[in-house]
Amino acid sequence: MATESMTLSDCVVMIVDRYLDDLQGEAPNNLHTQVIEQVECALLEHTLKKCGGQRGTAAQWLGINRNTLRKKLQNYGLDT
């Protein structure tokens, strides 16, 4: 699959498959929670970086309220 035609869903499937393969038959624990939290944290951090630290702009890009962004940043320890 060419990277330029990959969707976000394709990327998630590829990474989850790799993660499950790395478990070598062990059952995952709280897979949904892990994926959601790790993806959200990375998304927030990267978007904020791309916006030069401008929280208002980052909130706009993410399609969320600035206060919601602030709370999420605090939740993930990214509110420096």
Side-chain angles (χ1 to χ4, degrees):
M1 183 178 301
T3 55
E4 60 267 17
S5 64
M6 288 183 72
T7 65
L8 287 173
S9 294
D10 294 333
C11 293
V12 170
V13 168
M14 183 177 69
I15 295 301
V16 170
D17 276 347
R18 185 181 306 163
Y19 175 74
L20 294 173
D21 288 346
D22 288 348
L23 290 177
Q24 299 178 341
E26 292 285 325
N29 189 24
N30 295 319
L31 183 60
H32 179 266
T33 300
Q34 285 186 54
V35 169
I36 297 302
E37 288 178 354
Q38 290 183 26
V39 168
E40 183 174 53
C41 182
L43 175 65
L44 297 173
E45 186 173 35
H46 189 69
T47 302
L48 195 56
K49 183 178 178 181
K50 289 296 232 179
C51 292
Q54 298 297 316
R55 292 183 179 194
T57 303
Q60 272 186 316
W61 284 19
L62 293 164
I64 61 176
N65 181 286
R66 187 180 162 131
N67 286 330
T68 300
L69 175 60
R70 182 182 54 79
K71 289 176 187 174
K72 288 179 178 291
L73 292 172
Q74 286 175 343
N75 184 51
Y76 291 114
L78 301 173
D79 59 338
T80 58

